[in-house]
Amino acid sequence: MTETAETRPRISARLAGIAESATLAVDAKAKALKAAGRPVIGLGAGEPDFPTPSYIVDAAVAAAQDPVNHRYSPAGGLPVLKEAIAAKTLRDSGYEISPGSVLVTNGGKQAVFQAFASIVDPGDEVLLPSPYWTTYPEAITLAGGVPVAVFAGAERGYKVDVDLLEAARSNRTKVLVLCSPSNPTGAVYTPEETERIGRWALEHGIWVVTDEIYEHLVYGDAEFTPVLRVVPELADTTIVLNGVAKTYAMTGWRVGWLVGPTDVVKAATNFQSHLTSNVANVSQRAALAAVSGDLSAVADMRTAFDRRRRLVVDLLRGIDGVEVPEPKGAFYAYPSVEGLLGRTFRGRTPQTSAELAALVLEEVEVAVVPGEAFGPSGFLRLSYATSDENLTEAVGRMAELLG
Ligand code: PMP
């Protein structure tokens, strides 16, 4: 049958395939219930609960008053910000880059999308350690690529190794995604693990897209390892993703960046010149103050996150049927709840983590994100970027329901 105007799908196949961001959906549902007067506690969203440090806000206020910032600026980012990002990369990651290898994007999310759009062709396979952040498979698929999930469960601390990756490699494999510290699991790869995986990618000519947005949020003896510091030979086939959202409590300002080989950065900048043009200048000036300042504000936030991390893990471990490896970074706990599925709570018997998350929201008004958003069922993600009181109350309510 030939298509007519009536039978033609209204929404393109490309966009019809995209699901709403599950984490934002949980957050929106929790906020709506709260607005309706319900005492909901949201542990869904991945955003620091602190205000942006005042010296950063002050820089933005000054920028807003300067007419130079009222105009278009270079699509790929303010040159002064790119220089500051290069200096910050040397300070925090220990290797040199040129400002020309930086593209400033509208949040880290746009960097994720543009990274895959730059190097993935239809049919290319992208190895995606799972549980994965919910945006990666969508960005890979939109670029025409095929996400190949490589699952590592709680018993392995949610970390893949070269054997698992090698088993998933094919002659269509083009890219490997790394995200350490990890959203959603809080896992942090050691320097040795990072180097082994990096060398394996190098050996097989596989590109690496490494998301380092949680670089400053590591706890205890965990250490953030930039893959390019331990395997510098990967520089020509690696795209680094980063941004100010998590380090400086700047989720609403929408500034991220990617660092890559100059041909990739050029292609991605051309794309951005049509897509969005420059990131808002006021936000770029705020990001400039952030990355060129010191790291004392994030040190204070890290102390609070670390305390909350230990609190939430202790409380979760008190619930029979919940298994939670210690998260070493970011601000998420990722318990396995397989031991709870099939049990009956208040007359309901959840068989999946999505059903369990719905039960927890409806019965005790705590919003958590089910594992289905990040890979297989059987897990929940709890963000501990909220007050100690909220965490104690929220996990206490969960324990009462599930204990
Ligand atoms: N990467 C990871 C792993 C994230 O968790 C997030 C935020 N949830 C981002 C990138 C993007 O952050 P933003 O777009 O707010 O800069």
Side-chain angles (χ1 to χ4, degrees):
M1 197 179 72
T2 43
E3 274 190 352
T4 65
E6 287 77 42
T7 61
R8 215 170 277 138
R10 286 164 53 78
I11 305 300
S12 69
R14 234 181 205 208
L15 292 207
I18 301 182
E20 180 185 8
S21 160
T23 51
L24 295 186
V26 167
D27 191 46
K29 191 164 176 191
K31 282 182 177 146
L33 284 167
K34 221 175 189 167
R38 304 302 315 170
V40 171
I41 303 178
L43 306 183
E47 69 177 342
D49 55 326
F50 302 102
T52 303
S54 57
Y55 65 92
I56 298 173
V57 179
D58 291 345
V61 170
Q65 275 157 351
D66 183 347
V68 79
N69 294 313
H70 301 174
R71 307 278 173 250
Y72 291 130
S73 59
L78 295 173
V80 64
L81 177 56
K82 292 191 192 184
E83 275 165 36
I85 289 169
K88 169 249 170 281
T89 302
L90 182 59
R91 177 192 67 184
D92 298 341
S93 299
Y95 56 87
E96 270 185 61
I97 59 164
S98 81
S101 59
V102 179
L103 167 62
V104 180
T105 56
N106 285 279
K109 262 186 188 165
Q110 193 182 15
V112 170
F113 181 79
Q114 292 189 175
F116 293 118
S118 303
I119 57 172
V120 169
D121 270 321
D124 286 346
E125 291 179 359
V126 179
L127 297 181
L128 185 56
S130 157
Y132 45 75
W133 180 42
T134 187
T135 290
Y136 299 137
E138 303 290 6
I140 294 164
T141 309
L142 266 174
V146 181
V148 177
V150 183
F151 180 72
E155 71 293 348
R156 326 175 47 113
Y158 303 116
K159 292 198 271 190
V160 299
D161 61 14
V162 163
D163 292 340
L164 285 177
L165 293 171
E166 181 60 27
R169 186 172 66 86
S170 81
N171 58 6
R172 304 241 46 179
T173 305
K174 178 155 184 193
V175 188
L176 164 69
V177 178
L178 297 179
C179 179
S180 173
S182 160
N183 176 6
T185 66
V188 178
Y189 286 76
T190 66
E192 296 73 29
E193 289 164 344
T194 309
E195 180 169 353
R196 270 198 294 277
I197 292 173
R199 298 246 161 249
W200 172 84
L202 184 68
E203 180 191 338
H204 296 288
I206 295 172
W207 285 72
V208 175
V209 170
T210 173
D211 188 336
E212 303 187 345
I213 202 161
Y214 293 99
E215 61 182 330
H216 292 295
L217 299 178
V218 288
Y219 314 105
D221 57 2
E223 191 186 328
F224 160 66
T225 308
V227 66
L228 286 183
R229 198 187 67 217
V230 287
V231 190
E233 303 93 316
L234 274 173
D236 201 40
T237 48
T238 292
I239 303 178
V240 182
L241 311 176
N242 208 329
V244 293
K246 317 289 174 174
T247 303
Y248 304 99
M250 291 180 70
T251 45
W253 297 80
R254 313 309 305 137
V255 183
W257 59 86
L258 63 79
V259 175
T262 43
D263 52 349
V264 168
V265 170
K266 186 163 187 298
T269 305
N270 289 347
F271 179 32
Q272 183 161 305
S273 77
H274 296 289
L275 191 66
T276 53
S277 301
N278 62 277
V279 175
N281 292 325
V282 171
S283 285
Q284 289 199 68
R285 294 276 169 195
L288 175 62
V291 298
S292 44
D294 66 21
L295 293 167
S296 53
V298 64
D300 293 343
M301 290 190 261
R302 188 169 48 230
T303 303
F305 289 143
D306 189 16
R307 188 183 62 243
R308 296 163 176 184
R309 172 183 75 108
R310 285 178 276 122
L311 172 69
V312 87
V313 168
D314 279 353
L315 292 170
L316 283 170
R317 285 185 176 159
I319 304 176
D320 180 42
V322 170
E323 184 196 343
V324 56
E326 185 189 358
K328 300 278 176 77
F331 37 61
Y332 309 100
Y334 204 69
S336 161
V337 291
E338 267 158 318
L340 295 175
L341 303 179
R343 292 199 208 165
T344 302
F345 308 100
R346 299 195 188 166
R348 286 165 68 179
T349 311
Q351 303 293 347
T352 63
S353 48
E355 288 173 12
L356 183 70
L359 178 74
V360 168
L361 182 58
E362 284 154 32
E363 291 291 335
V364 293
E365 306 195 295
V366 175
V368 297
V369 187
E372 284 84 343
F374 312 105
S377 174
F379 306 88
L380 297 177
R381 191 192 76 172
L382 287 75
S383 164
Y384 52 81
T386 186
S387 68
D388 299 42
E389 297 72 41
N390 269 350
L391 290 170
T392 308
E393 169 70 19
V395 187
R397 287 190 205 170
M398 288 173 68
E400 210 181 288
L401 172 70
L402 306 169

